[in-house]
Amino acid sequence: MTRVAIVTGASGGIGREVAERLAKDGMTVLVHYSGNKVAADEIVEGIVKAGGTASTFQADVADETQISALFDEVERLYGGVDVVVNTAGIMPLAPLVDLKLEDLDRVHRTNIRGTFVVSQQAARRVREGGAIINFSTSVTKIAVPGYTAYAASKGAVDGMTLILAKEMRGRNVTVNAVAPGPTATPLYFTGKPQSVIDAATKAAPLERLGQPEDVAEVVSFLAGPARWINGQVIYTNGGVVA
């Protein structure tokens, strides 16, 4: 039976690479997007051209009705779901003292509530032998100034991931989080001076930024063969932090 994966936030950056990697692994992929329909359609077109199966679905990850409809659609089209990857997230940057509270609320809604809503549906619907993979960040340990709201939201993701793994007892479903470090995506580069990018490049012992495919490789492992890794936050950062 072909495994079926949902990837939220799949229209760009790491999410796109994850969707394409899981399709290469032989999975049928539901490409979720929030606003960028053109990019989502391009991803599906590429997967189909390569011989895979994929479709798109637009939804607000924090809206439980829309996310329930997304899972309904996956079950209607493909019969069920085996892997759910939560890459959707936002990252407004500012020192705590300057951050607008409306931006904090937006981060909370997308990164915490969104992950919770998707995980709730996943916990109810993922088939036996499946995997739920949330997205955290290495910034919770690196503690880079300006990332307070983002790191706080991902700390919440860590907590819900570890607890959900235990709540899935008896279902043979793993629950883990991937915590990338500096990764060369449009989200990472936006608003950063070159000096900050250069410093991040030198921080890892491998002396480069992570690439989206580096992160997708870890997701592929957790989504497939890694059945004995459960209830973990996997720091995927080239050695910046352990």
Side-chain angles (χ1 to χ4, degrees), residues 14 87-95 99 103-104 106-108 110-111 136-140 144-154 180-192 196:
I14 292 173
T87 75
I90 60 172
M91 190 174 65
L93 301 179
L99 186 76
D103 288 338
L104 177 64
R106 288 195 307 115
V107 171
H108 184 284
T110 299
N111 296 4
S136 181
T137 176
S138 292
V139 176
T140 56
V144 180
Y147 284 78
T148 307
Y150 184 69
S153 73
K154 295 303 188 176
T183 305
T185 66
L187 181 65
Y188 176 75
F189 288 125
T190 299
K192 288 186 174 65
V196 170

Side-chain angles (χ1 to χ4, degrees), residues 1-238:
M1 181 179 66
T2 300
R3 285 162 65 81
V4 178
I6 294 170
V7 182
T8 71
S11 61
I14 292 173
R16 177 174 190 150
E17 193 70 34
V18 167
E20 292 174 344
R21 173 60 188 263
L22 295 182
K24 289 177 184 177
D25 291 344
M27 296 188 193
T28 294
V29 180
L30 189 287
V31 175
H32 159 269
Y33 68 99
S34 176
N36 196 341
K37 184 179 188 303
V38 172
D41 287 342
E42 287 176 353
I43 296 165
V44 168
E45 182 181 355
I47 290 172
V48 172
K49 281 185 176 179
T53 302
S55 57
T56 66
F57 196 97
Q58 181 181 27
D60 174 358
V61 290
D63 186 311
E64 64 272 27
T65 301
Q66 293 182 30
I67 292 303
S68 179
L70 182 153
F71 277 79
D72 287 345
E73 180 70 357
V74 168
E75 291 174 347
R76 184 187 70 81
L77 288 174
Y78 308 123
V81 60
D82 304 284
V83 176
V84 176
V85 187
N86 280 304
T87 75
I90 60 172
M91 190 174 65
L93 301 179
L96 184 149
V97 70
D98 297 325
L99 186 76
K100 296 178 181 179
L101 291 181
E102 54 264 37
D103 288 338
L104 177 64
D105 291 340
R106 288 195 307 115
V107 171
H108 184 284
R109 188 174 193 280
T110 299
N111 296 4
I112 300 177
R113 181 186 169 96
T115 299
F116 190 98
V117 167
V118 174
S119 293
Q120 188 175 65
Q121 287 296 323
R124 292 170 179 170
R125 307 210 202 188
V126 166
R127 293 185 287 210
E128 183 176 353
I132 300 169
I133 303 165
N134 291 325
F135 260 69
S136 181
T137 176
S138 292
V139 176
T140 56
K141 288 188 177 293
I142 300 172
V144 180
Y147 284 78
T148 307
Y150 184 69
S153 73
K154 295 303 188 176
V157 170
D158 289 353
M160 76 175 79
T161 299
L162 303 186
I163 292 172
L164 181 57
K166 293 185 177 181
E167 291 179 346
M168 296 299 286
R169 176 181 291 274
R171 293 274 304 279
N172 190 23
V173 172
T174 61
V175 185
N176 294 288
V178 176
T183 305
T185 66
L187 181 65
Y188 176 75
F189 288 125
T190 299
K192 288 186 174 65
Q194 189 60 45
S195 59
V196 170
I197 296 170
D198 290 343
T201 300
K202 294 176 182 177
L206 300 177
E207 296 187 330
R208 66 174 176 86
L209 292 176
Q211 297 297 317
E213 54 266 33
D214 295 320
V215 181
E217 182 176 48
V218 177
V219 174
S220 172
F221 181 57
L222 294 173
R227 299 308 302 167
W228 199 234
I229 297 177
N230 192 24
Q232 304 297 318
V233 179
I234 309 298
Y235 293 95
T236 309
N237 54 48

